[in-house]
Amino acid sequence: MFDTLTDRLSSVFRNLRGKTRLTDADIEATTREIRLALLEADVNLTVVKEFIQAVRERAKGAQIHAALNPAQQILQIVNEELIEILGGAARPLRYAKKPPTVILLAGLQGSGKTTLAGKLGTWLKAQGHSPLLVAADLQRPNAVTQLQVVGERAGVQVFAPEPGNGIGDPVAVAKAGVGFAETKLYDVVVVDTAGRLGIDDELMRQAADIRAAVNPDEVLFVVDAMIGQDAVNTAKAFAEGVGFDAVVLSKLDGDARGGAALSIAKVTGKPIMFASNGEGLDDFDAFYPDRMASRILDMGDLLTLIEQAQKTFDAEQSAKAAQKLLQGKGEFGLDDFLQQMQAVRKMGPLSKILGMMPGMGQVKDQIAGIDEREIDRIEAIIYSMTPAERANPKMLDGSRRARIAAGSGTKVSDVNSLVNRFFDARKMMQSMAGSIPGMARKQAPQAQKKRKSGNKVSGNPARRAGKAPTPVTAPASGSAFGQPAAISEAELTKQLGEFQLPPELQQLFNPKNTGPR
Amino acid sequence: MENYFWYVLAGVALVLVVAAVTIIVGNRRALPPGQSPAELPASGDEPTETEPAEPVVAAAEQAAVEPERPEAPESRLARLRRRLSASSNPFARGLLSILSAETLDEATWEDLEASLITADLGVGPTSELIDALRAELSIAGNADAARAKAVLRSELLRLVGPDDNRGLNLTGADGLPGVILVVGVNGTGKTTTIGKLARVLVAQDHSLVLAAADTFRAAAAEQLKTWGDRVGVEVVRGPEGGDPASVAFDAVAKGIADGVDVVVVDTAGRLHTKTGLMDELGKIKRVIERKVPVTEVLLVIDATTGQNGLAQARVFAEVVDVTGIVLTKLDGSAKGGIIVPVQRELGVPVKLVGLGEGADDLAPFEAEAFVDALLEES
């Protein structure tokens, strides 16, 4: 839909090469783009204004660094500022000197408090504490039951004296819960409360009463990462009404850019302590300001991609596959390909994964056009081969191909094209791998690439004639990818931050760009 | 086929390379664990759908099988108008105080743009609105507040799209029940909306069956059952963790057998980015349609949602062909402006709005009332 901030800034700065200092005009030109990017990420307008002001101050008179173009330089400033706000007050969870430690959860309806209670329980238990969950959400139908089920799954005790559904006094329950923990020697009490609106005075007062009754060591404000401009009003209302000590961002596993995090951190000055990013009880983690900054700026979330890869990929298996591929002796077979492809698909829709790769902005449209069903067909074809055929596709003769086509419900021409593309691609990937930093292999002959493109074009003349290929931005000009500045895994960033779509791959998208069939 | 193959290959290659580099680097330096999503949930609970119910529906009423007749739609709209124009709505007041300024200078325009953006209208529709307003007012020269208001109203109305058919399609073909499928991301208030909707339908003398096809979240079926019991509506449920499509199928089969008018299917909240869960949703719809066509697919969007709402709507529309939108939690301080870009892009009308925690706080959406409410001064 929208280009990334990087792309936008690059276009602003297209004619700026050779300057040694950012002028006011340059800065003004970028300000609007940054503003739009932040607003699209749901950062609150007031916060955006202040933020832009700060960036402007810093950008003025900044020397243009030899190694960075102006766009990258401004981005770096923006990124640093973002991280500063997001991570300014980070701190670990405070435990009471005299147990039990009381943690109170508060937030809007549907922000994920009950789920978070379960996650906190699991996490605390793993840290060697013995947590108790207190069901003080007596309002939503069966919230108490939900907490009980969650507690059971987490293996954590739940204190639920009242059935809920509008019956019972949450203040009394919360107080009794803490008392129960004291007698039974639970050392952390997590109090789940009902969702409430910031403008609902009565319920806010009730929340304040609960707070007064249990005297919590931490009040956590749970907020949905998808929240929009209203985040600030809500956060302020809760800060005034109940008062909170830290923020938990939930539903970060979606694709919301999460600008609310910035708004809340800036307006309330409270740290964001945890990020909740999935439906499993252990999908719960500390908050990383640097990644959030990249996310808000939509800078290609490489670290998240890597992590997903780590989580889903069998490291040994991929290492082996990569090894095979790099050795280039034709050992990388369709079985390895299938394995890797499935691992990739486990991480999410392919278009999403590719979108996360930096430098892929140029081929965004094609990526968006990927139809997962076509990938299913590729899988079907490979599944219709014998293991021996998968390992060594060279042995596929005409009769084998006919059998495979029949077995997978495709045409022989489909099988042919898959096998041929696979061979081409294998060669190409081998040469490509050489160009990636950190991989020791040197570039393979470029001739292959040339020949391959030729093949592809002639391979399907009829279809190609029908639709004129829309040329993608030329590789050299389009891939200005500003690396995120202060990413903690500096080493990794250094290697990957400069990663651009390799020319071979960009090439790949060019002649093939005939759109989805 | 071969096009896709290249994309797939590119993806595999890139990720493979990333994985390889990671392994190389990872040997030297272990990455800290972080916010990594993507895995389909293996087990566990789902983010809470903490839409509260009516605080205390008196015990007597809970026992009653027939609910009292819900408020007439007109009075609900009046309430919507009241709430939207309450003092907590800086949007409405802001717009008018801005527009009643003597002259419209750059700063004023900027303020105007700001207030629209603050309502989550999105940058695109906002610029569109501002441009149209500017063009309109520049023709007339110096504009007074009344005129500005009229122009703004018509522009907003155009963006919200007043002409769409906003009725719920409840009638199935050939005497078969109509099927309403309710979908959305986690915690937007699907179950609560269904509870309120069930009350409305019962009060309109429809017979109905509810399907608790949210077999994933802890106690979701119980939550729906509580709602169903309040109005004496049967809830078809399956085992927790069971196949939601089969629950939906059973409910529809039961609906046909009992000859009810409407079957309302509750689904588990799912983030639109989770392919597996979206596939599951597609399956639920396909399976239902083996019995009867789904007459209405309602996407529930939370008014607090920001620009991500557009992405949600887009994906859900693609998977289950959304026919209407329910905007919930409009009683808060959020303005729900996100429906403007959603309607603009998908052309799917908002059909219902959720206005609060009471069991009757569900109203039909009316564009004119909505826009008027936005513009009215308190």
Side-chain angles (χ1 to χ4, degrees), chain A residues 109 115 142 279 288 517, chain B residues 1 28 33 45-46 226 357:
Chain A
Q109 291 94 345
T115 305
N142 294 90
E279 306 195 28
Y288 295 96
R517 281 174 54 184
Chain B
M1 158 76 60
R28 276 176 273 158
D45 58 331
E46 104 180 340
T226 306
E357 314 193 340

Side-chain angles (χ1 to χ4, degrees), chain A residues 349-415:
Chain A
L350 204 61
S351 46
K352 182 97 198 306
I353 309 282
L354 287 176
M356 275 198 253
M357 300 296 302
M360 292 301 273
Q362 314 141 45
V363 287
K364 215 170 238 167
D365 293 342
Q366 290 97 304
I367 290 174
I370 295 180
D371 184 347
E372 297 282 325
R373 268 171 308 193
E374 291 291 338
I375 307 169
D376 290 338
R377 287 173 65 195
I378 293 176
E379 266 183 21
I381 294 178
I382 300 179
Y383 273 133
S384 300
M385 298 175 180
T386 65
E389 285 167 347
R390 286 181 216 168
N392 178 19
K394 286 222 163 81
M395 72 191 289
L396 290 170
D397 55 22
S399 105
R400 284 175 188 270
R401 288 183 191 202
R403 190 202 77 236
I404 292 163
S408 58
T410 52
K411 293 197 217 65
V412 178
S413 60
D414 289 336
V415 180

Side-chain angles (χ1 to χ4, degrees), chain B residues 73-96:
Chain B
E74 296 77 51
S75 62
R76 292 183 180 202
L77 278 175
R79 205 145 44 100
L80 162 64
R81 203 168 294 160
R82 256 203 323 279
R83 292 204 189 183
L84 278 173
S85 57
S87 57
S88 62
N89 186 3
F91 181 52
R93 286 186 301 146
L95 281 185
L96 286 177

Side-chain angles (χ1 to χ4, degrees), chain A residues 349 372-373, chain B residues 181 183-184 270-286 289 294 297 299 311-323 346:
Chain A
E372 297 282 325
R373 268 171 308 193
Chain B
L181 182 65
V183 302
R270 60 201 75 225
L271 288 177
H272 54 290
T273 48
K274 311 230 162 156
T275 353
L277 290 179
M278 293 309 286
D279 288 349
E280 180 190 271
L281 190 61
K283 181 183 167 192
I284 294 176
K285 191 180 178 210
R286 279 197 310 279
E289 295 203 316
V294 173
V297 179
L299 172 66
Q312 293 170 17
R314 220 179 266 145
V315 179
F316 275 102
E318 199 176 293
V319 175
V320 286
D321 197 14
V322 174
T323 58
L346 298 176

Side-chain angles (χ1 to χ4, degrees), chain B residues 328-344:
Chain B
T328 58
K329 306 185 198 172
L330 204 56
D331 51 328
S333 44
K335 327 291 185 306
I338 184 64
I339 59 161
V340 172
V342 169
Q343 287 202 327
R344 192 174 73 129

Side-chain angles (χ1 to χ4, degrees), chain A residues 109-112 115 146 224-226 250-254 278-279, chain B residues 41 45-51 183-191 214 216-217 267-274 277 299-302 304-305 312 316 328-329:
Chain A
Q109 291 94 345
S111 56
T115 305
Q146 186 187 350
D224 186 330
M226 292 181 286
S250 66
K251 302 182 207 170
L252 263 175
D253 48 336
E279 306 195 28
Chain B
D45 58 331
E46 104 180 340
T48 334
E49 195 162 306
T50 326
E51 177 103 333
V183 302
V185 299
N186 313 82
T188 51
K190 285 175 295 304
T191 308
D214 182 352
F216 182 72
R217 181 169 56 102
T267 62
R270 60 201 75 225
L271 288 177
H272 54 290
T273 48
K274 311 230 162 156
L277 290 179
L299 172 66
V300 182
I301 293 182
D302 181 334
T304 54
T305 309
Q312 293 170 17
F316 275 102
T328 58
K329 306 185 198 172

